[in-house]
Amino acid sequence: MIELLTPTEMQRVDRLAIADGSPGIALMERAGAQVAEAILRHFAGARDVLVLCGSGNNGGDGFIAARHLAEAGMHVRVMSAVAREALAGDAALAAQAWSAPLERLSTDHGRPDLIVDALLGAGLRRDVAGPLAAVIDAVNTSGSPVVAVDLPSGIDGATGAIRGCAIQARQTVTFVRCKPGHFLLPGRELCGERLLFDIGISDATVDEIGAGTFANRPTLWQAHWPAIAHDRHKYDRGHVGVVTGGATATGAARLAIRGAFRTGAGLVTALAPAEAAFVLAPALEGPMLRIADTADDLQKLVAERKISAVVIGPGTGVGEGTRKNVLGILATDAAVVLDADALTSFEGEASLLLAALRQRPRPTVLTPHAGEFHRLFRGLLPDAGSKLDLCRHAARQANAVVLFKGADSVVAAPDGRASIADNAPPWLATAGAGDVLTGIIAGLLAQGMPAFEAASAAVWIHGKAAADFGPGLIAEDLPDQLPSILRSFVRPWRDDDPLRVD
Ligand SMILES: NC(=O)C1=CN([C@@H]2O[C@H](COP(=O)(O)OP(=O)(O)OC[C@H]3O[C@@H](n4cnc5c(N)ncnc54)[C@H](O)[C@@H]3O)[C@@H](O)[C@H]2O)[C@@H](O)CC1
Ligand SMILES: Nc1ncnc2c1ncn2[C@@H]1O[C@H](COP(=O)(O)OP(=O)(O)O)[C@@H](O)[C@H]1O
Ligand SMILES: [K+]
């Protein structure tokens, strides 16, 4: 698992490491040396380097990097936000080891080959304004590439927000663990390439913090990947039911059906109103079709057909009919994925939905994009907050896993765990992509994967499918990308191959 540590959590980790016998200046020495090493590797041709140092420990890393770069033969100028005498603690020690003059921080940078941004890191406390904002603007318009230390100055490490203004970096060198601000937009964009370095703080020290935010990577969820074995039949591999829209609105459900089937659900059934039957029947081969015109019909089918996970929302229409169907399905034992119209149908009536969710013991995943999220939770969450904070609040309020979609999709569980994805390419924003995603989630839920892991895995796989396909992607392409991705997660099954003779 790859934890993401907020700046406050990172400071706690630093303090624990210092208490365990790693002096702060030793950590800073390693951090500054790693910055220099990254620059020597990636900007080997740079001759003139300008290092901009702030008044805190981020500046301290900058002084140390400057020393290493000068020792490596680069021509290095250092500008400092404060005079040497005004520096304190480890930053003061780091500055002492830089024997060349310190220039006053100004906007007069010239056109160096490289600028090192060591102005502000984890200690950002308020919006950047005044002379410091002018320096940041000058850096951004200088045309010189920038390597940011820890975070691009002005980016809030906990939220990814721009506090007033921020550096646009070519590369960001950070330490121990990435921060949520490296993953959440707009912070992620301003980081450029992200490089993570060890500075001698152990995993055990990080574990002591009990971080609850994770990079969405297979290491987060692959231990929960559904097992597959020879002695299983299709019913053991789960049965997904997808509620469809009427005769002219079945496409979204068909995308979800294909996503669920390709993800490995043993059976998939379209649960369709009678008017859609003749449109759907010729469009389905492996998946089955059952008629459900009312919430009662849906409940009966879920029970009779032993449906283990239901998708409702894509193309089902906004209004009373969908509201009743959602509430009916939430009363069953199936795992449920609520998307699109299933969420919008509760606009202004979220309390109805939340009441049903709070008393529901079975796994539920809500998959709103930003518009659906704000429509559903308007007035129920704090006015301000990062995507991560809002998603966590929503998951707690709804007693459900909430997947807040977008280029930086966040998945949060009611117990406070959250994942942030950074692998979705921009061309994934195409009509119907979300419908396929709901199918992938349901396919994993039906096979018994827990909801937080299933939603996180689906987001990562969906992003990878889009990245593998490349530009020109349409939602219909996504399911066919799945087999090559899923291959790497199938746990090896026993295969004695009795025909082989050695
Ligand atoms: N032992 C440690 O704690 C380590 C810290 N490291 C570095 O230390 C950094 C954190 O250091 P600090 O906690 O000293 O914080 P920073 O150096 O990020 O910033 C703190 C300083 O900036 C000022 N400041 C905050 N917001 C401002 C704003 N909007 N405008 C102008 N000034 C502002 C504060 O008053 C304070 O003087 C990390 O980002 C990392 O680069 C690394 O050296 C590794 C070890
Ligand atoms: N800028 C973006 N970059 C990458 N992925 C994106 C971006 N915008 C949206 N997505 C992803 O594309 C999908 C769109 O889903 P959704 O908004 O539900 O569309 P639809 O309802 O048409 O299926 C989601 O998985 C979302 O996370
Ligand atoms: K910085």
Side-chain angles (χ1 to χ4, degrees), residues 312-361:
I312 179 164
T316 55
V318 173
E320 182 64 17
T322 295
R323 248 193 330 267
K324 282 190 172 150
N325 288 346
V326 167
L327 295 174
I329 282 170
L330 289 177
T332 70
D333 282 341
V336 174
V337 185
L338 298 181
D339 184 40
D341 297 347
L343 301 170
T344 304
S345 291
F346 288 92
E347 181 176 7
E349 304 206 50
S351 54
L352 260 181
L353 178 63
L354 296 187
L357 290 170
R358 283 185 193 134
Q359 64 186 34
R360 188 177 141 77

Side-chain angles (χ1 to χ4, degrees), residues 366-445:
L366 277 52
T367 60
H369 57 53
E372 289 157 354
F373 186 95
H374 292 294
R375 277 201 289 274
L376 183 63
F377 290 105
R378 186 173 300 130
L380 297 173
L381 301 178
D383 289 341
S386 68
K387 184 168 181 173
L388 178 62
D389 293 337
L390 292 176
C391 191
R392 269 205 174 104
H393 274 289
R396 284 213 178 92
Q397 287 250 6
N399 181 38
V401 167
V402 177
L403 190 184
F404 192 158
K405 292 184 289 194
D408 52 354
S409 289
V410 175
V411 177
D415 64 12
R417 284 175 302 155
S419 69
I420 312 175
D422 66 342
N423 69 334
W427 53 84
L428 181 55
T430 179
D435 306 326
V436 179
L437 178 65
T438 59
I440 302 175
I441 300 168
L444 294 172
L445 289 172

Side-chain angles (χ1 to χ4, degrees), residues 58 117-121 148-153:
N58 195 248
D117 158 31
L119 290 167
L120 290 163
V149 178
D150 200 14
L151 286 155
S153 296

